Amino acid sequence: MASHRKPRTSVLTSPGGRRTAAGLTSAALASVTLLSQSADAAPRAPRPTIEEVKQKVDGLYRQAEVATQKYNAAKERADHQRTTVDGLLDAAAERAQKMNDTRRELGTFASAQYRTGGMNPTAQLMLAKDPQQFFDRSHLMERLTSRQQQAVSDYEEQAAAAARQRAEAGRSLERLQSSQASLKASKQSVQQKLAEARQLLSRLTVQEKARLAELERQKEAAAKRKADEEARRQQERQRQQDGGGTAGGDTGGSTGGGGTTGGTQSTKAEKALAFARAQIGKPYVWGATGPSSYDCSGLTQAAWKAAGVDLPRTTWDQVKVGQRVATSDLHPGDLVFFFDDISHVGMYIGGGKMIHAPHPGANVREESIYYMPIYGSVRPG
């Protein structure tokens, strides 16, 4: 007799009584195989070219310089605020001493009154813990001698002044804490950018590092050619201005290619340049102002300080000091600023060149001012 049973799906029963469809293991294995094949087939990110690495590293160095200038500004604010707080605390201590002296004088008056007639209301008031209780009872002042009245007035003035100083010290401490927080954030930002740059460079092979160095040499050579061309043009202009004099020779004393100014300004510029030249070979260290290392604005500040001119700490403030000059009118000692964010500065020495502290990993050196995009220039003094 024909069977009327429906076809049965093959089922496996687990020892615990659970059933799974036959072939599930095969399907799972197939899925895993497909996933593995898909993962293997997924395209990997291409290795960056040396040009891209150089661009990335240069960008990180620039970001680090911006963060360095923020650090310098925050440090300057913190140092100034710390000096202010210290001064206020010293003044408050001095004021407290004066208050104690006045209070002792008031106590002497009270003791004398006690010896001569008991502790009258005036004496009690003199020894009160809260002098304001006495000040509120102005009618008692009539009982005091002029000397006693002066002592009370002095004490009142000292107490009011002390309260004002305590309040100002509190506000100054808050500003100091804010500056210190900004200082910490800027420091962390610098360290992060420099760490990223070091990490990128550490991944390069020997051949890639050689190629990167070659790109640097090419960039420096192009900047030097531009500086030499500018120096020759300036030299020709100077020759024409001098009435057709002989071309050639050192351009270190011509404007644009290294012009000189007269009198005191020239003397100061020479002193600043002499100082800067003496620092060549010292390492760039962010936040440093010498004498063993410098960042870019720390070097220019120290150089002009040696010439008797005080410059602010940051590039953003240094660019506001002195006379603005065109690139074609640069004189030795002038400050040349770079990038739209004014994050770098160097000192012009003539011939289209400058002395500057370039970036971490490099030393103070001479370099063409055309190595970076120029923002503008100023003449301190």
Side-chain angles (χ1 to χ4, degrees):
M1 187 170 86
S3 173
H4 297 287
R5 295 179 181 176
K6 294 182 180 180
R8 297 174 60 188
T9 302
S10 177
V11 175
L12 298 176
T13 302
S14 65
R18 291 175 299 174
R19 297 188 304 169
T20 58
L24 179 59
T25 302
S26 299
L29 290 173
S31 298
V32 171
T33 302
L34 289 173
L35 288 173
S36 176
Q37 291 174 347
S38 299
D40 291 339
R44 295 181 179 179
R47 185 178 177 84
T49 65
I50 295 301
E51 289 77 9
E52 290 172 338
V53 171
K54 176 175 170 33
Q55 184 178 16
K56 179 67 173 177
V57 170
D58 288 346
L60 287 169
Y61 279 150
R62 182 179 169 188
Q63 293 172 33
E65 280 212 281
V66 173
T68 296
Q69 295 305 315
K70 291 181 179 179
Y71 171 87
N72 292 339
K75 186 175 187 302
E76 192 172 44
R77 287 195 304 269
D79 290 345
H80 174 74
Q81 209 60 50
R82 188 176 292 107
T83 300
T84 300
V85 170
D86 289 344
L88 287 170
L89 293 177
D90 289 342
E94 183 179 354
R95 184 74 63 182
Q97 182 60 45
K98 291 180 179 179
M99 288 177 61
N100 290 335
D101 293 342
T102 304
R103 189 175 181 85
R104 279 193 292 270
E105 186 176 7
L106 291 174
T108 299
F109 295 151
S111 297
Q113 289 179 349
Y114 176 79
R115 288 193 300 269
T116 58
M119 187 69 78
N120 60 28
T122 300
Q124 295 176 21
L125 186 56
M126 293 295 185
L127 296 177
K129 292 183 179 180
D130 185 3
Q132 189 62 43
Q133 295 176 1
F134 175 71
F135 302 144
D136 292 339
R137 302 175 185 177
S138 59
H139 66 280
L140 292 177
M141 292 291 288
E142 298 174 359
R143 303 182 185 181
L144 304 178
T145 65
S146 59
R147 183 182 175 188
Q148 290 172 326
Q149 289 178 359
Q150 184 60 49
V152 172
S153 296
D154 288 346
Y155 186 82
E156 183 179 20
E157 291 175 4
Q158 300 292 346
R164 289 193 299 269
Q165 286 178 333
R166 285 195 298 270
E168 178 59 26
R171 290 190 293 269
S172 293
L173 282 171
E174 290 178 359
R175 289 192 290 267
L176 175 58
Q177 291 171 349
S178 176
S179 296
Q180 289 174 330
S182 178
L183 187 66
K184 181 179 179 181
S186 297
K187 181 177 181 179
Q188 290 174 339
S189 179
V190 174
Q191 293 172 330
Q192 177 187 351
K193 301 302 180 186
L194 295 181
E196 289 181 35
R198 286 193 295 268
Q199 188 176 36
L200 279 172
L201 294 173
S202 68
R203 294 172 181 170
L204 298 180
T205 64
V206 174
Q207 293 80 5
E208 289 173 332
K209 289 178 180 178
R211 172 59 180 159
L212 181 61
E214 177 60 25
L215 290 176
E216 283 290 342
R217 285 192 291 270
Q218 292 175 5
K219 183 177 179 180
E220 292 171 4
K224 184 178 183 301
R225 285 193 298 271
K226 189 171 182 179
D228 291 343
E229 291 171 4
E230 176 58 30
R232 283 193 293 270
R233 284 194 295 268
Q234 180 56 39
Q235 189 178 40
E236 179 61 23
R237 289 194 295 267
Q238 188 66 43
R239 186 181 67 82
Q240 294 174 359
Q241 291 173 4
D242 292 342
T246 303
D250 186 11
T251 61
S254 62
T255 58
T260 59
T261 57
T264 304
Q265 173 64 24
S266 178
T267 302
K268 290 180 178 179
E270 290 171 0
K271 289 182 179 179
L273 277 173
F275 181 93
R277 285 193 176 96
Q279 312 314 307
I280 290 177
K282 293 183 178 180
Y284 176 106
V285 174
W286 64 272
T289 57
S292 57
S293 59
Y294 298 88
D295 62 21
C296 66
S297 57
L299 175 63
T300 52
Q301 183 189 47
W304 272 100
K305 185 176 182 180
V309 177
D310 290 328
L311 294 181
R313 179 64 181 92
T314 70
T315 55
W316 303 321
D317 290 327
Q318 288 183 8
V319 75
K320 301 174 184 177
V321 176
Q323 173 190 353
R324 292 297 294 268
V325 294
T327 303
S328 59
D329 295 328
L330 285 170
H331 293 164
D334 291 347
L335 302 183
V336 186
F337 298 87
F338 301 91
F339 304 111
D340 291 340
D341 53 16
I342 323 176
S343 58
H344 192 75
V345 62
M347 179 178 290
Y348 192 68
I349 61 175
K353 296 181 180 180
M354 64 178 171
I355 295 174
H356 72 141
H359 56 73
N363 296 333
V364 176
R365 66 192 183 199
E366 292 185 10
E367 200 158 46
S368 169
I369 62 173
Y370 300 105
Y371 186 79
M372 296 168 284
I374 296 173
Y375 172 85
S377 306
V378 301
R379 183 166 298 148

